[in-house]
Amino acid sequence: MAAAGDGPWLDDAAGRLVRPYTVSNGRTRPTTALDLLSQVMATGATPLGYLGPEHSQALELCRMPVSVAEMAAHLKLPAVVTKVLLSDLVDCGALTTKPPSFHHNPTDRSLLEAVLDGLRRQL
């Protein structure tokens, strides 16, 4: 039985019914350079051509700037598959991206510990 709002893509007992490589049409490399901390945001442009349900869901989630890592979590997809999907949307002009900007050292121990604590609270 599918979870509410997930449609036929998820099953409570079996998990994901469509494998991630199917979602990205077997592609493993995005055409746009995206970091996990890169920000993506919808441009408002209507993409031409067919978009899969994950593309549409990603566009809905990108009304406000969101990181690639957050997008992967929302879509429940591996980061590399998410990057391919977002790259498709950037290529067709539906998304814009900007690299992460750090006010602090991204490898600062206290920053990394805060991120780890936040992730643990989510589990």
Side-chain angles (χ1 to χ4, degrees):
M1 172 144 191
D6 289 326
W9 303 111
L10 292 176
D11 182 276
D12 290 337
R16 190 168 196 59
L17 298 178
V18 176
R19 297 292 173 228
Y21 64 86
T22 304
V23 172
S24 64
N25 292 324
R27 295 172 294 147
T28 58
R29 295 180 191 233
T31 56
T32 304
L34 293 169
D35 186 273
L36 286 176
L37 299 177
S38 296
Q39 297 285 306
V40 291
M41 184 171 172
T43 62
T46 304
L48 299 175
Y50 172 77
L51 290 179
E54 288 82 6
H55 287 95
S56 299
Q57 186 179 5
L59 270 178
E60 287 294 317
L61 294 168
C62 288
R63 291 183 181 178
M64 299 293 287
V66 62
S67 72
V68 172
E70 289 174 287
M71 185 61 62
H74 287 297
L75 295 174
K76 297 180 175 106
L77 289 171
V80 69
V81 174
T82 301
K83 287 180 182 181
V84 170
L85 294 176
L86 295 175
S87 180
D88 291 346
L89 294 169
V90 169
D91 290 346
C92 72
L95 286 184
T96 186
T97 181
K98 70 175 189 172
S101 59
F102 295 106
H103 300 292
H104 300 58
N105 179 1
T107 59
D108 177 49
R109 184 176 177 94
S110 62
L111 174 64
L112 295 174
E113 287 174 353
V115 169
L116 183 59
D117 289 341
L119 290 172
R120 285 183 179 149
R121 281 193 299 269
Q122 295 297 318
L123 299 175

